[in-house]
């Protein structure tokens, strides 16, 4: 009958749609396996060593640019903070902290990416975006790295701006350690070594939120275009571009971080937190100061991103056990 024919036709249409949906689902799973949550697995020790070597390479190579950026952000002004002289002041502090800081970050980041990806695949839903897993893994990595990076930054910033009593790394360490005024985390134990830890996380986490999903996405799209994984040189270009974008957007947070780590304004009045820094900067110097140092920061991080990610991917390939390749 006509009704029976209609029912059969509708049944065939439903079956056809189900087959198409299954095929699409299988294709999406294959794409995800190639470019999505099937994250590459890097042994913890390999990522630790490769990250440490890459961090040291970039921090030492580009230290003078970082010094100029820090002096531009000083409340005392660029020339009073040292101008173009002594641009390598504080390099020992940077070198001492860059290797363990970068090692901790990449060791944590590479470990957490597949873990978070598997968790997302298990629970599915809206949260199954690879970008989200990269954001979360990078944020956890930054929190770990800042345990080393913040004390390094505090010592380095004080030496770069020629603060009183900072002629050597040892004297700067003693000076910062003696600051037990409660303005830093656990100051009765660590003195001012962790001054600015909170704002550093507030800078690094948004930076990682922007940079690493872009970095990973650029690599995926480049790999799709050429039909194979990106080379270390191509990864370096992806890191440079994504880092420059993230650096520009997070410059105001970097200015606040630098001021907190220096400890006081140009009159010697101690800052009472990030809110106090922002209030004083806007009322006394103008809101444009929150973008001070943006040019050397973007340049430093763009060049640094190229060196850093290129070095990391190169060291990673060199150090990878043959059984993992």
């Amino acid at each position: 009958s006509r009704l029976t024919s209609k029912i059969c036709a509708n049944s065939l249409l439903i079956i056809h749609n189900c087959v198409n949906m299954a095929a699409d689902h299988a294709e999406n799973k294959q794409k995800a396996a190639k470019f999505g949550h099937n994250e590459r697995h890097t042994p913890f020790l390999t990522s630790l060593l490769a990250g440490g070597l890459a961090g040291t390479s970039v921090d030492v190579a580009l230290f003078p640019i970082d010094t100029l950026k820090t002096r531009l952000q000083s409340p005392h002004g660029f020339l009073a903070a040292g101008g173009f002289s002594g641009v390598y002041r504080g390099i020992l502090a940077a070198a001492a902290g860059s290797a363990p800081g970068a090692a901790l970050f990449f060791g944590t980041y590479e470990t957490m990416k597949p873990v978070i990806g598997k968790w997302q695949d298990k629970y599915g839903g809206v949260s199954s975006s690879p970008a989200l897993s990269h954001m979360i893994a990078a944020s956890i990595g930054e929190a770990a790295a800042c345990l080393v990076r913040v004390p390094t930054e505090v010592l380095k910033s004080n030496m770069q701006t020629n603060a009183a009593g900072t002629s050597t790394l040892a004297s700067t360490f003693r000076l910062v350690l003696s600051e037990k005024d409660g303005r830093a985390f656990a100051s009765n134990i660590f003195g001012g070594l962790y001054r600015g830890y909170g704002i550093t996380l507030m800078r690094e986490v948004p930076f990682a939120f922007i940079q690493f999903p872009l970095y990973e996405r650029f690599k995926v799209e480049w790999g799709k275009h050429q039909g194979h994984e990106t080379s270390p040189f191509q990864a370096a270009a992806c890191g440079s571009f994504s880092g420059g974008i993230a650096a520009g957007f997070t410059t105001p947070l970097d200015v606040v971080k630098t001021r907190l780590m220096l400890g006081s304004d140009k009159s010697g009045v101690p800052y009472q937190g990030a809110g106090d820094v922002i209030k004083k900067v806007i009322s006394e110097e103008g809101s444009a100061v929150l973008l001070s140092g943006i040019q050397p920061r973007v340049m430093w991080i763009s060049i640094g991103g190229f060196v850093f990610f290129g070095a990391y991917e190169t060291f990673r390939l060199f150090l990878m056990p043959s059984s993992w390749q």
Side-chain angles (χ1 to χ4, degrees):
S1 67
R2 185 178 298 178
L3 180 60
T4 304
S5 300
K6 191 172 182 180
I7 292 173
C8 290
N10 287 337
S11 299
L12 288 171
L13 182 63
I14 292 171
I15 293 170
H16 178 266
N17 290 336
C18 288
V19 169
N20 285 340
M21 288 175 63
D24 289 341
H25 181 67
E27 183 181 356
N28 289 335
K29 284 187 72 176
Q30 287 178 345
K31 288 181 179 178
K34 187 174 183 181
F35 295 109
H37 281 147
N38 188 24
E39 301 285 0
R40 70 180 187 186
H41 288 253
T42 304
F44 179 74
L45 184 59
T46 298
S47 57
L48 202 71
L49 292 173
L53 290 168
T56 302
S57 301
V58 68
D59 282 355
V60 171
L62 302 177
F63 188 80
I65 301 176
D66 181 53
T67 299
L68 297 180
K69 183 269 299 181
T70 301
R71 289 175 179 176
L72 282 168
Q73 295 175 349
S74 170
H76 303 288
F78 178 70
L79 293 177
F84 290 99
S85 65
V87 292
Y88 281 98
R89 277 179 60 89
I91 192 170
L92 289 179
S98 60
L104 268 176
F105 172 80
F106 268 110
T108 305
Y109 177 66
E110 292 284 11
T111 301
M112 293 306 299
K113 270 198 306 180
V115 172
I116 295 169
K118 287 179 181 178
W119 179 81
Q120 287 178 292
D121 287 339
K122 180 179 179 180
Y123 293 99
V126 181
S127 63
S128 61
S129 166
L132 183 60
S133 66
H134 298 149
M135 289 179 181
I136 296 171
S139 300
I140 296 171
E142 290 292 357
C146 281
L147 294 173
V148 174
R149 190 179 296 152
V150 170
T152 300
E153 287 278 333
V154 171
L155 297 173
K156 176 173 68 70
S157 296
N158 278 276
M159 294 186 74
Q160 285 175 326
T161 55
N162 294 289
T166 61
S167 57
T168 66
L169 178 58
S171 64
T172 306
F173 181 77
R174 287 194 297 269
L175 177 68
V176 173
L177 200 61
S178 68
E179 297 173 356
K180 303 184 182 296
D181 53 10
R183 288 183 294 137
F185 171 74
S187 62
N188 58 326
I189 301 173
F190 301 111
L193 285 174
Y194 281 96
R195 187 171 60 236
Y197 181 79
I199 189 60
T200 303
L201 277 181
M202 286 174 62
R203 180 197 67 173
E204 296 297 342
V205 170
F207 184 92
F209 262 50
I210 298 169
Q211 183 186 33
F212 279 88
L214 286 177
Y215 168 66
E216 298 284 1
R217 187 64 186 179
F218 290 157
K219 286 200 302 177
V220 166
E221 293 301 327
W222 202 334
K224 283 182 180 179
H225 178 72
Q226 63 188 6
H228 57 81
E229 283 191 3
T230 52
S231 67
F233 181 83
Q234 292 168 335
C238 294
S240 175
F241 191 55
S242 60
I245 294 171
F249 279 108
T250 56
T251 295
L253 295 173
D254 188 55
V255 173
V256 175
K257 184 272 304 179
T258 299
R259 294 292 182 94
L260 277 175
M261 287 185 169
L262 292 176
S264 58
D265 61 19
K266 58 186 176 182
S267 301
V269 180
Y271 291 119
Q272 299 303 316
D276 184 43
V277 172
I278 296 171
K279 182 180 177 181
K280 283 186 175 181
V281 166
I282 293 175
S283 62
E284 297 175 8
E285 303 172 63
S287 57
V289 173
L290 290 172
L291 292 175
S292 59
I294 187 171
Q295 295 92 343
R297 175 171 164 78
V298 170
M299 180 175 69
W300 171 59
I301 290 180
S302 295
I303 299 172
F306 189 91
V307 176
F308 183 69
F309 285 103
Y312 175 75
E313 295 291 346
T314 300
F315 286 127
R316 177 185 170 276
L317 285 176
F318 180 76
L319 295 168
M320 277 287 282
S322 56
S323 59
W324 286 70
Q325 295 180 359

